[in-house]
Every structure is written in structure tokens, then in C-alpha cells.
Amino acid sequence: MSSFLYRLGRAVARHRGLVVLGWVLVLVVCGAASALLNKGTDDTFTIPGSESQDAMDHLDHVFPQVSGTSAQLVLLVPEGQQVDTAATRQAVSDAVDRIGDVAQVEVASDPFDPDVNDAVSDDGLAANIGVQLKVDSTQVSDATLTDLSGIADDLAGEVGDGAKVYTGGDAFADRIPGLSSTEAVGLLIALVVLLLMFRTIIAAVMPLVTAVVGVGVSVSLVYLGTLFVPVSSTAPMLAVMIGLAVGIDYALFLLSRHRDQLAEGLSVEESIARATATAGSAVLFAGLTVLIALLGLSVARIPFLTTMGVSAALGVAVAVSVAVTLVPALLAFAGRRMVPKARSERRRRLRKPRVARPWVRFVTRRPLVTIVIVVLGLGALAVPAANLRLALPDNGSQEAGSPARETYDVVAEHFGPGFNGPLLVTADVIQSTDPSGLVDHLADEIRDLPGVAAVPLATPNEKGDTGIISVVPTTAPDDARTDELVERLRDQEPHWLAEHDAQTAVTGLTAVGIDVSDRLGAALVPFGLLVAGLSLVLLAMVFRSVWVPVKATVGYLLSIGAAFGLTSLVFQEGHGAALLDVAHVGSVVSFLPIILMGVLFGLAMDYEVFLVSRIREHYAHHGDAHEAIEEGFVSASRVVVAAALIMFGVFAAFVPDGSATLKPIAFALAVGVFIDAFVVRMTFVPAVLALLGDRAWGLPPALDRRLPVFDAEGDGLLHELRLADWPAPHSDEVISAQALSLDDDRGRPVYRDVELHVPRGEVLVLHGSGAVGKSALLLSLAGRVTRHRGDLKVLGQVLPQHVHALRPHVAIVDGRGDLDPAGRVTEALARDVELILVDDADLVLRSEARARLRDQLAFRVTSGGLPATFVLACQDPDRVVDLLPLEATQLYAMTHRPAEVL
């Protein structure tokens, strides 16, 4: 992958104009198409397969009068007056008649009608006009809402004497979040951090521009998605928030690497290519982890959550694409202006010591103490998470002062909190000879259940096959006791079926919300296992270590727990809620935990790779674990700190004016990123590595062989570039090896310090008695064994980076096991194989086969006229001397190297 990104970066730099123009066209076309074609968002929460959703879908067919959304007009008179007067009754009756004539209204109920129950408050100050609409909440027109608001104003004026009429209900809920000037604060924070880091306006502005372009494209694509599937209003905002954060960070990684390389003297084009290959590989790895985690939201099997995950994943995918194409193109336009300015000698002397080195020395001086403090501290922050309450947002979480919120508060005060979220019990009464009587009997039984405040409606439909019973809880929709009432009602279902032959179900918006929260809660464990398992595997692939991924996963879990705990403290317990303008406390949006786990996982792995890869790189070159921690930390900390501050700023900017749905998600992501970057990655990680020392770096050999290699930092490409002109420019050597070594599964040497230089068309003889590693070396030359150390180039391909490109051009012949080894050589020459390796050549004993092999070694030309190179392995060269040509033959003696005993 790094080789591909290297070629991509160079191509983009050379065709920068076309690349920039292409992205501009994509942005314009996607933006115009989404503006013209999108169908709008849909905030209908459905949960297929649940009892509440199945019952709701059934009502659409058998009782369409109650399948639409609803509204409320609540008449409130001042203290000292009574709402139930003759004049008020007449005014309300006239208003109800007018409401019935409004488009999209199915029916309006007069609170003073004798057949309507519990529509006048016990204190006599309020009357509730219920309005049932024909359409769901996403299809309510502005004209309908305007007409209802106008009727409410007229009713208040007609009643007079300070009376007010509040309009609310689900139809008036404004759950569509929008961007405000506050979100721009996040971009301003990012700009300040980038200016402090790069000290040049071009470098500081570039990540912001590319991030905005990426967000524009991704949000446009999300809105185009409304043509095919329902998309919630939160989905594009989530794409904006995550797209901005990762887009700036990904550009920052490339920009930082590019400037460092320019400072080392690389040309602009070469530096762009290398930055795209190295930092771009890390960006690709980070983006891939976030993508997998976000797409993993589908494990909950909830459609709106799946679309949210796909929308956010789309934002990340576009951000990655922008980072490896548009960013290099803009870097090419910037040219040498991106070279960091050299500091004067006087400024270098006056510069204060960096914080990174003293900090890493402090946290690693007593690593066990640091680990204990971090674990206990984050563990304490996570304690409130045990009481985290999940619920879907309702009008109680709307912005204070909004019509829906004012109506919600008035209803809760004068009627009771349960009237804001009534439940609906459906009953199949087709078997009954008295549907009305059966429904009334069920309603009486429900009234006697604990937690029921009222049963204002109980009626069968016109066909008499289905009955509905409206149940008002004594508690609010997001109260845990309302959940208990739903369970209590569902526990009665077997009794009602046996006693009355009536199949019942509990539904309504409140019941749907409870079922959504329950399913999301149940999905957290499998999703957490998926994320944790993915973390272990991916980091083991990158770092070839057991302890590094274990430590990273533990750190991630600590970050998640602390973020959950702080979110619970603010949004459930109310600590600091006023400071953050939290409209409603007591619960958090149901899908917050699973989204936080997915997004924070990708960001945590990003910081982990960037920091630990620098530590591992230093350890690989110098072998001192503690020195590697310090030097690697100092090298990477500046970029990690900048990236984390930017991410924190972008997320935090969505908190003050964010919607009720987005605010807790943004808060949790902001504190999660802050804790993970500064407490876990910058404190916990170096302490754990210091405690482990050399033991941190190692993978069991059996696992090492089976686990694929993921080069997340482009180390393989750097190795390839270093060997580009080795052993000499335009060298004709088929095999070039230097300091080539291989160990077995127990760490014992198989062969060590092999140095080979074999020109094209020659014959190399590897000889040595006993187990000296001849066969293993042949397999290494053929690209079959890839765990060697040192430099190796075969047929111009650097190994192990290009083993797949090499293997078709190399043939291995087994002189011991093949019945016709000379025939195998003939087949290889016919396929124009340029390198033929013959193991146990001294065991080719049949005279005919030996003669043919002698001729092939003498001729050494493929059927296509290409020169063929041979490598023979044998115990003693004297046993194959009759096979070897007189010229163009090298001998290389391999000796047994006993393992050192320390």
C-alpha cells in the first residue's frame, strides 16, 4: 500500500492542477445535485422486529386514524381562575371545529366533551385539546403548523383575561439540528493551534480548507442518500462534526511529515511522494479503523443508526481521500514556501526547554505509580457510567423557550409528566362478541396497575377487530419507572390472551423509544467485543507485539469509561449542566454510547500508531527500550498534542448550541479525545512501555508467521527507497544481500550475516554440511520466507516488500524430492523464469537427470532468450563440481552458528 501511495503522491504532485480542479468539480456537482434532488431528512425512529414497531405498523392498516403524529393545544388560565366556564367551553368548541377543517388533521378532541377523559387538569387551570393528524411527523406541512398556531392565538384572545394557549406535541418538535456561528469556534481553535505549530499562514489554513472541502462533499452525498433511504437529521451533522475533526487531523499528519522532510533537504516532489506514502499510510490505517467501527453500528440492527454510521463513515472516507490527493496537490502548489524557517542561533539559545522531554521522564521515572494513578483516576471518573440512562430525545429535551418545550413543561406541571408520553395498548378483539365491552374491561384492569396515572381513551376501531387503549404513566417518558410500566403491561399479555382471547401489544412513541434503547444497550457488549478484538488484531499486525495492543486496548477502555462517566455526571445528574446550556437532564440519547465507542476507537488507534511507531522505530535502530520511549515521545508528541487539541476544539464547539441529540455526543467525544490523548496516550502508554522494557516488543513466532503485516507508517517504503540505487545505480545483479539474517521460532539463528552479489546469468553454490540454513536461505531468496532481517534485493525487487511481484519469476526445484528435477528446470526455462533455485542439488543422482541438469547450467538461457541465474544448495561443492560450468560460478560457504547463551 505504501508503494502505491508513493506513486500516487508523485502523480498528484505532477498533475496538481487537474487534481484541484477535479475536487472543485466534485464539490460543485455534489452540492448542486443534493440541493436540487434531496428529499429531506426523516427523524422517524423505527426498530423492525420489536413488539412496539410491529404493533405500530399493524395500526397503520387497521386503525389509520391513530397512526399519524399528534399535536396539542393547551389552554392555560391564570391562578385564581377556572378553565371550565361556559364562555371558555364555547370558545374551545369553536376552536375544535376550526381545527377539524385544517389540512392534514384527522380529528381534534374537545376536552369538555363528556366522552373525553382526563383532558382538564385537576387544578382546573388547564385544558388539553388533542389533535390527531393523518401524516407522520416528517410529513407535517408548515401550513398546517401555521394554521394550528393561528387558531391557538385566536383562542387565547377569545378567552382573554391573561389566558395562554401553548402549541406542542410531536408535530411541533423541531429536532432538525443546524449549524450556528458557535461551530465556527472549532475552526478558529484549529487555526490557532496550526499557527502555533507551523508559524506560517499557508500551512495553517491548508488543513482547514481541505477539511471544509471534504465535509462539503460528504454532506452533499449524505443528502443525496435521502433519495434511496430515510436519513435522520442528525446524520449529516454527525458527518460534519466527525469529517471536520478527522479531515483537519489527517491533513496535519501529512503536512507535518512533508515539512520535516523539506527541512532535511528533500525536493518538493520527492517529499510529497514520501509524505503521502508514510503519513498517508497512517491516515489510511486510522481511517480504516474508524470506518470499520462506524459501519459496525449496524450490529444493533436499527435502520436509523445504520444510516448514521454509514453517513459518518462516508465523511471519514472522503476525508481520507482528500488527505491523500487534494492535500498533496496543494502542497505541490505551495512548493518551497512550506520549508520551515530556520531559527537563528540566538533564538535557539533563548528558546525554553520543550515540555515533552521533562514530562515523559516524569511519568516513566516511577512507571508503576503512574499506571496506578491513571487507572484509579479514570476508574473513578467511570463510576457514574454505571447509572447511565439511555432514551430517545423528546420535547422535554428541546431548547428552553421553544413552543414544543413550553407545552411539554405546562403539561407536566398541570397534568403530570406521563401525559407527555402516553403508551398505547393494542388489542386484537376480533374474537369478541362485545368489542367495546372487552376494551373497556381491559382498560379497567390497566387502571389498577401500579404506575398508571390515567386511561383517557379506550375504543375499538370501526370494524370492531382492533381496540386501542391510551395509558398515561405517572412518570416522564425517559424515567426508568416508565420502562417498568411497559414491562408490567407486557407481562399481562399472556393473562389477557388466556382470559379474554385477546392478543395485546404495547406501542406508542414512548414504547418505541424504550425498545430502541433496550436494543442499543444489548448491542453494546457485542460491539465492544468487536472493537476491542479489532484493536488487538490491527495493532498486533502493525507493531508485531502482544503487549502493545493489550496496553492500547486497556487504555481505550479506560478512555471510554471516563467519557461515559463524565457524560453521565453532566447530562444525567446535572453537574455543570447550566454552564453547558443543557436543556434537559436525566438521560442521554440512546445511540451515544455506541457512536462514542466507534469514533473514539478510530481516533485512539490513530494517536497510538503515531506515537508508538516513533518509539518502536527508535528501539529497532538502537535497542534501548527506555531511550526509545523518551526519543520517540519527544519526536511524536508535538503532532499528537496539536491533533488532539484540534479534535477537542472541533467537538467542543458543537456543545454550546448543539441540538439535544448532538450536544451529548459532541461533549462525550470532546472529553473522550482529551482523556485518550493526554491521559492515556501521553501518560499511561509511556509508563506501561517503561514498565515492560524490552518485553514490550515481541510476538510469539507462531503468531508472527500467521499474522499479516500492516505497514501503517510506511517503513517498508523507506526501506525500499533506501535500496533504490543499491548496490549501484542500474546494477545488473540478480541477487544482492547484505547482513541478511534469520532466526527460528525460538529466536535461535538459522543463518546470519549473509552477503551475496550474484550477477545475471551466473551460478551460485551455497554449501555447508548439516543444518546451516541453506534451504531457509533459498526460500528467502525466492520470497517464500519473509521474516529475515537485513537488506535483500532479488531480480530488482526489494524483499520482503515485493515478494508477490517476485514469486512468478522464481522457481524452486527439490533435488531430493522431485522425481524429475531436470524436467522441472526445463519447465521453468520454458516459462522464462529468470532465477532457478535447486535445493539438495548433490542428491540428483540419476545419470540422465544429472546430464540434463549439467547442460542446463552450461546454457543458462530461457526459451525467450533471457539469461537465467541458478542457485544450487548442497552439502559439499565437490559433489556437484561435474555439474558446474567452468566460468561464472560462485561458491558461498555456510557454517553452523550455535545460539549464544547469555
Side-chain angles (χ1 to χ4, degrees):
M1 180 55 68
S2 57
S3 299
F4 166 76
L5 291 175
Y6 177 82
R7 295 191 298 271
L8 176 64
R10 188 177 291 277
V12 166
R14 291 176 178 174
H15 303 92
R16 50 191 175 272
L18 289 176
V19 173
V20 172
L21 179 61
W23 274 108
V24 171
L25 288 176
V26 169
L27 178 61
V28 171
V29 170
C30 290
S34 67
L36 294 173
L37 301 177
N38 86 87
K39 292 185 176 181
T41 55
D42 183 352
D43 283 312
T44 303
F45 296 116
T46 62
I47 179 168
S50 67
E51 175 181 313
S52 57
Q53 189 62 53
D54 290 344
M56 191 77 79
D57 294 340
H58 181 63
L59 286 178
D60 287 343
H61 301 289
V62 300
F63 218 138
Q65 296 89 340
V66 296
S67 62
T69 189
S70 62
Q72 294 171 309
L73 275 68
V74 181
L75 171 62
L76 181 67
V77 298
E79 291 282 350
Q81 299 183 26
Q82 287 294 310
V83 73
D84 189 3
T85 66
T88 301
R89 281 174 174 260
Q90 185 58 49
V92 168
S93 178
D94 293 341
V96 169
D97 291 339
R98 291 178 60 192
I99 293 171
D101 295 332
V102 173
Q104 297 185 319
V105 171
E106 178 71 37
V107 65
S109 60
D110 188 334
F112 302 110
D113 190 305
D115 294 329
V116 176
N117 300 317
D118 302 303
V120 177
S121 63
D122 293 338
D123 59 13
L125 298 177
N128 185 1
I129 302 174
V131 182
Q132 184 66 44
L133 279 77
K134 301 175 183 178
V135 296
D136 62 36
S137 58
T138 62
Q139 297 174 315
V140 178
S141 66
D142 291 339
T144 297
L145 298 179
T146 301
D147 289 346
L148 292 175
S149 298
I151 294 171
D153 292 339
D154 293 343
L155 176 59
E158 189 171 346
V159 173
D161 295 328
K164 293 182 179 180
V165 178
Y166 296 88
T167 55
D170 194 57
F172 281 88
D174 181 16
R175 300 193 183 100
I176 300 178
L179 289 173
S180 67
S181 58
T182 309
E183 278 76 42
V185 174
L187 293 177
L188 182 61
I189 293 173
L191 179 61
V192 171
V193 173
L194 292 169
L195 279 172
L196 291 174
M197 181 175 181
F198 293 129
R199 301 183 183 278
T200 167
I201 191 67
I202 297 177
V205 170
M206 190 180 295
L208 303 183
V209 172
T210 56
V212 169
V213 169
V215 165
V217 172
S218 59
V219 171
S220 298
L221 292 175
V222 170
Y223 277 109
L224 281 175
T226 60
L227 293 171
F228 310 101
V229 295
V231 177
S232 72
S233 59
T234 306
M237 291 300 296
L238 192 63
V240 169
M241 183 171 65
I242 295 175
L244 271 180
V246 300
I248 295 172
D249 270 11
Y250 292 167
L252 167 63
F253 292 151
L254 265 81
L255 213 63
S256 177
R257 181 63 64 93
H258 175 59
R259 283 168 56 86
D260 289 346
Q261 292 172 167
L262 289 178
E264 294 170 0
L266 285 181
S267 67
V268 172
E269 184 177 304
E270 179 65 18
S271 178
I272 290 173
R274 292 196 183 192
T276 306
T278 53
S281 293
V283 164
L284 199 64
F285 173 82
L288 179 64
T289 57
V290 180
L291 280 173
I292 294 174
L294 288 172
L295 295 176
L297 297 178
S298 59
V299 301
R301 296 178 292 112
I302 299 177
F304 77 85
L305 184 64
T306 299
T307 58
M308 288 177 63
V310 171
S311 300
L314 185 62
V316 174
V318 173
V320 172
S321 301
V322 167
V324 297
T325 53
L326 182 58
V327 171
L330 295 180
L331 291 176
F333 274 116
R336 301 295 300 178
R337 285 174 291 179
M338 300 300 292
V339 179
K341 295 180 180 179
R343 294 179 180 271
S344 66
E345 185 64 31
R346 180 174 179 273
R347 289 182 66 188
R348 281 196 294 268
R349 288 198 305 268
L350 294 176
R351 187 182 180 190
K352 294 181 179 179
R354 292 178 61 178
V355 176
R357 194 177 299 277
W359 175 254
V360 71
R361 287 177 177 174
F362 171 74
V363 300
T364 58
R365 184 175 296 116
R366 298 286 187 273
L368 186 58
V369 174
T370 302
I371 293 169
V372 170
I373 291 174
V374 169
V375 171
L376 291 180
L378 295 183
L381 290 178
V383 170
N387 300 318
L388 194 64
R389 168 91 183 136
L390 304 180
L392 289 179
D394 56 21
N395 287 346
S397 58
Q398 295 289 305
E399 183 180 356
S402 64
R405 175 61 185 275
E406 287 184 336
T407 305
Y408 183 96
D409 292 340
V410 168
V411 169
E413 179 182 355
H414 294 279
F415 291 91
F419 279 84
N420 282 308
L423 303 170
L424 202 61
V425 176
T426 66
D428 182 2
V429 295
I430 194 170
Q431 304 294 336
S432 175
T433 57
D434 182 13
S436 296
L438 176 56
V439 172
D440 289 340
H441 184 74
L442 292 174
D444 291 337
E445 289 192 24
I446 291 173
R447 286 188 183 94
D448 294 334
L449 293 177
V452 175
V455 180
L457 175 67
T459 181
N461 63 354
E462 293 179 356
K463 293 182 179 180
D465 57 13
T466 303
I468 58 168
I469 304 166
S470 179
V471 181
V472 177
T474 57
T475 51
D478 62 348
D479 194 298
R481 289 169 292 182
T482 303
D483 294 13
E484 295 173 0
L485 175 59
V486 170
E487 287 302 313
R488 203 172 291 126
L489 289 168
R490 287 175 175 168
D491 289 342
Q492 294 295 314
E493 292 174 3
H495 162 70
W496 289 330
L497 180 61
E499 186 75 16
H500 306 292
D501 198 19
Q503 181 70 53
T504 58
V506 182
T507 185
L509 294 178
T510 300
V512 169
I514 291 171
D515 287 347
V516 168
S517 299
D518 287 346
R519 182 173 290 185
L520 283 170
L524 286 180
V525 172
F527 184 73
L529 292 175
L530 169 69
V531 169
L534 186 66
S535 169
L536 290 170
V537 173
L538 288 177
L539 290 177
M541 289 166 55
V542 172
F543 294 112
R544 320 310 295 177
S545 165
V546 172
W547 288 110
V548 168
V550 169
K551 169 263 307 170
T553 303
V554 171
Y556 162 73
L557 295 176
L558 288 172
S559 301
I560 283 290
F564 283 161
L566 289 172
T567 304
S568 179
L569 278 176
V570 174
F571 291 88
Q572 185 161 320
E573 299 180 15
H575 301 289
L579 184 64
L580 298 177
D581 194 26
V582 177
H584 175 74
V585 298
S587 63
V588 297
V589 62
S590 303
F591 42 83
L592 179 148
I594 201 167
I595 287 179
L596 175 63
M597 291 171 68
V599 175
L600 191 58
F601 166 71
L603 303 180
M605 295 306 102
D606 195 0
Y607 301 144
E608 178 77 13
V609 169
F610 202 83
L611 177 64
V612 179
S613 61
R614 297 298 179 91
I615 297 174
R616 187 194 65 163
E617 180 181 351
H618 193 282
Y619 177 77
H621 287 118
H622 300 88
D624 188 322
H626 291 280
E627 179 185 303
I629 295 169
E630 182 174 324
E631 297 302 325
F633 184 92
V634 171
S635 173
S637 59
R638 186 164 172 257
V639 175
V640 172
V641 168
L645 288 176
I646 290 171
M647 197 82 71
F648 173 80
V650 170
F651 289 146
F654 281 80
V655 174
D657 288 340
S659 68
T661 301
L662 205 60
K663 187 189 290 281
I665 296 176
F667 175 84
L669 286 172
V671 298
V673 164
F674 187 88
I675 290 171
D676 191 84
F678 295 103
V679 181
V680 173
R681 308 302 155 190
M682 309 287 284
T683 306
F684 179 74
V685 166
V688 173
L689 292 178
L691 186 65
L692 292 171
D694 294 324
R695 292 169 295 177
W697 311 105
L699 200 63
L703 181 60
D704 190 32
R705 289 195 307 272
R706 290 173 173 79
L707 202 62
V709 176
F710 194 109
D711 186 9
E713 277 286 295
D715 293 339
L717 174 73
L718 297 178
H719 180 238
E720 183 180 348
L721 293 174
R722 182 173 61 82
L723 300 182
D725 293 328
W726 176 77
H730 311 295
S731 171
D732 196 39
E733 289 186 1
V734 171
I735 300 172
S736 305
Q738 179 175 280
L740 196 65
S741 303
L742 177 70
D743 294 336
D744 64 13
D745 289 354
R746 298 182 181 180
R748 297 175 301 187
V750 176
Y751 59 78
R752 285 287 173 89
D753 301 324
V754 172
E755 184 160 350
L756 300 172
H757 295 278
V758 183
R760 188 175 299 275
E762 290 200 358
V763 177
L764 170 66
V765 179
L766 303 175
H767 63 91
S769 60
V772 293
K774 302 184 297 297
S775 298
L777 181 55
L778 284 182
L779 293 173
S780 297
L781 299 178
R784 267 63 172 181
V785 172
T786 60
R787 303 302 183 194
H788 56 260
R789 301 183 305 279
D791 299 333
L792 177 60
K793 208 171 184 180
V794 180
L795 291 172
Q797 303 289 349
V798 176
L799 303 185
Q801 281 71 36
H802 294 289
V803 293
H804 296 293
L806 172 70
R807 287 174 182 173
H809 302 284
V810 179
I812 300 178
V813 178
D814 184 0
R816 178 196 299 269
D818 283 332
L819 297 177
D820 184 13
R824 291 285 307 280
V825 173
T826 301
E827 293 172 3
L829 293 172
R831 299 196 316 269
D832 282 335
V833 172
E834 298 176 67
L835 178 60
I836 300 174
L837 312 174
V838 183
D839 197 9
D840 291 324
D842 49 344
L843 296 182
V844 179
L845 301 177
R846 289 190 300 117
S847 57
E848 179 186 355
R850 202 170 179 87
R852 288 172 61 196
L853 183 58
R854 182 186 307 112
D855 294 340
Q856 291 162 342
L857 290 170
F859 191 53
R860 301 193 305 282
V861 177
T862 70
S863 60
L866 300 174
T869 304
F870 284 80
V871 179
L872 310 182
C874 63
Q875 296 279 337
D876 186 343
D878 291 339
R879 298 181 183 178
V880 295
V881 67
D882 60 310
L883 299 175
L884 303 177
L886 296 177
E887 74 290 341
T889 298
Q890 294 185 35
L891 300 180
Y892 187 86
M894 301 186 68
T895 58
H896 180 64
R897 293 174 177 265
E900 297 180 4
V901 179
L902 300 180

